[in-house]
Amino acid sequence: MSSLTTQKNKASDFNTTLSANFNLIIVFVVLFLLFVSYLTIIRPKFKDTLVAIKNNIDQQEKLYQNQRQKLVNLQAAVALYQKIGAENIEKVNGILPDEYAKEKLFGELEDLLSQKGLMLNSLRLSKDSEGEDDGPLVSRDAGLKNVGVIRAEMSLSSVDYVALKNLLPLLEKQLQLIDIESLDFSPSEKTVNLVCYTYYFK
């Protein structure tokens, strides 16, 4: 009987202790669950978020450095441009004209040749945009998309060797960037068939 009473007393003491500390046990369980949640869910997400933020900061830093370098390059270009005199700027701009009218080129060539006593028998002008399959490599170069090409095929008479020798540098000097593709000179007939290219900004 005493043994049964002792067991009942122990059970009663345990229940009493459990009831007295129930709130504390609940707090401990909740804290334990929060700790486990932190280790398994919150902490990994927190680390991932930190890594993402760091990567974003690195990308922004690289972008900033690239833009800063571009700014430095532009400032250097502006400083260099400002050192160039107005006269030199006009010379550079004059190397290639804007859209070249074929009529203007025809007139310039005719005037130039007639001043040198040469007879222009025929002249055919065609722009690169008008279906010419052949032409200089400059018109095909991906880096020179803004440069247009005009092909000039001309037939001249009253041309001797001295006139021909003076004609070529004269063409290159008077007209912007002329390239001679082919030249057929007949000294006996004093004729020249000439194919050349001139360029302009599109």
Side-chain angles (χ1 to χ4, degrees), residues 92-110:
V92 171
N93 290 335
I95 291 176
L96 288 181
D98 292 333
E99 180 75 25
Y100 218 146
K102 291 195 299 184
E103 295 77 10
K104 179 182 178 183
L105 180 59
F106 180 87
E108 289 180 5
L109 282 171
E110 191 173 34

Side-chain angles (χ1 to χ4, degrees), residues 137-149:
L137 293 178
V138 67
S139 64
R140 311 291 188 254
D141 191 317
L144 296 171
K145 291 180 180 178
N146 294 328
V147 176
V149 183

Side-chain angles (χ1 to χ4, degrees), residues 11-106:
S12 177
D13 291 341
F14 176 76
N15 289 336
T16 303
T17 304
L18 186 62
S19 296
N21 298 310
F22 181 76
N23 291 337
L24 186 61
I25 293 172
I26 291 298
V27 170
F28 176 76
V29 170
V30 169
L31 289 175
F32 178 76
L33 292 175
L34 288 175
F35 180 71
V36 171
S37 299
Y38 169 75
L39 291 179
T40 58
I41 300 174
I42 299 175
R43 187 178 179 186
K45 287 188 176 181
F46 180 72
K47 285 185 176 180
D48 291 343
T49 303
L50 285 180
V51 170
I53 291 173
K54 185 179 182 302
N55 290 339
N56 187 44
I57 290 174
D58 290 342
Q59 290 178 357
Q60 294 298 325
E61 181 68 22
K62 287 180 182 178
L63 180 62
Y64 169 75
Q65 292 298 335
N66 290 338
Q67 294 300 322
R68 185 178 179 184
Q69 186 59 46
K70 286 182 181 179
L71 177 61
V72 170
N73 293 341
L74 286 173
Q75 288 174 338
V78 169
L80 181 62
Y81 184 81
Q82 289 174 343
K83 289 181 182 178
I84 301 174
E87 181 179 339
N88 290 329
I89 292 173
E90 289 180 5
K91 287 181 180 179
V92 171
N93 290 335
I95 291 176
L96 288 181
D98 292 333
E99 180 75 25
Y100 218 146
K102 291 195 299 184
E103 295 77 10
K104 179 182 178 183
L105 180 59
F106 180 87

Side-chain angles (χ1 to χ4, degrees), residues 147-182:
V147 176
V149 183
I150 294 180
R151 174 186 172 96
E153 301 176 52
M154 65 185 84
S155 176
L156 308 174
S157 58
S158 302
V159 183
D160 57 15
Y161 179 76
V162 175
L164 178 63
K165 187 177 178 181
N166 293 330
L167 173 64
L168 299 180
L170 187 65
L171 285 174
E172 293 179 346
K173 182 179 178 182
Q174 295 296 323
L175 300 172
Q176 286 87 349
L177 296 179
I178 285 222
D179 285 335
I180 307 296
E181 182 190 62
S182 66

